[in-house]
Amino acid sequence: MLINLSGHHVELTDALKGYVDEKFERITRHNDQINSVQVILSIDNISHCAEGRVRISGAELFAKAEAEDDMYAAIDSLVDKLDRQLKDHKDKALARKQHTR
């Protein structure tokens, strides 16, 4: 899985990069055919924002999460949202496949 990480008004430290890599390993349990992941971390005044775009075969999923004081909390929320979307996409694909039989 290729993770493209960029920051707007944020210095991307090794700790942030490692945290993003560690958290995004979790999303591979629902779909192991992820083509790429693009993550953008930014700070707008007080809030910390994390945006993520996941490309899988046949779909592109997007989520955005914000936290007041902590970038790590925004990343956690982003991964939770993308994980739920991947699970829903997988369930929907299985339901379509089972319905056609």
Side-chain angles (χ1 to χ4, degrees), residues 16-72:
L16 269 177
K17 291 176 186 177
Y19 192 76
V20 168
D21 288 339
E22 175 186 326
K23 288 297 179 176
F24 272 88
E25 286 299 318
R26 191 178 96 183
I27 67 173
T28 59
R29 67 181 170 186
H30 292 302
N31 194 335
D32 58 347
Q33 298 179 354
I34 296 173
N35 296 335
S36 67
V37 176
Q38 182 175 0
V39 179
I40 300 173
L41 305 177
S42 63
I43 297 178
D44 297 327
N45 293 336
I46 300 172
S47 66
H48 293 73
C49 300
E51 298 178 12
R53 185 176 312 272
V54 176
R55 290 191 174 99
I56 56 176
S57 58
E60 183 174 288
L61 308 174
F62 177 81
K64 182 177 181 179
E66 293 184 14
E68 285 294 320
D69 297 327
D70 191 16
M71 183 62 77
Y72 294 100

Side-chain angles (χ1 to χ4, degrees), residues 30 86-101:
H30 292 302
L86 277 169
K87 183 179 179 295
D88 290 344
H89 184 268
K90 180 182 176 183
D91 291 344
K92 188 186 294 187
L94 286 175
R96 271 185 267 148
K97 185 176 180 180
Q98 291 174 353
H99 188 316
T100 59
R101 292 182 181 184

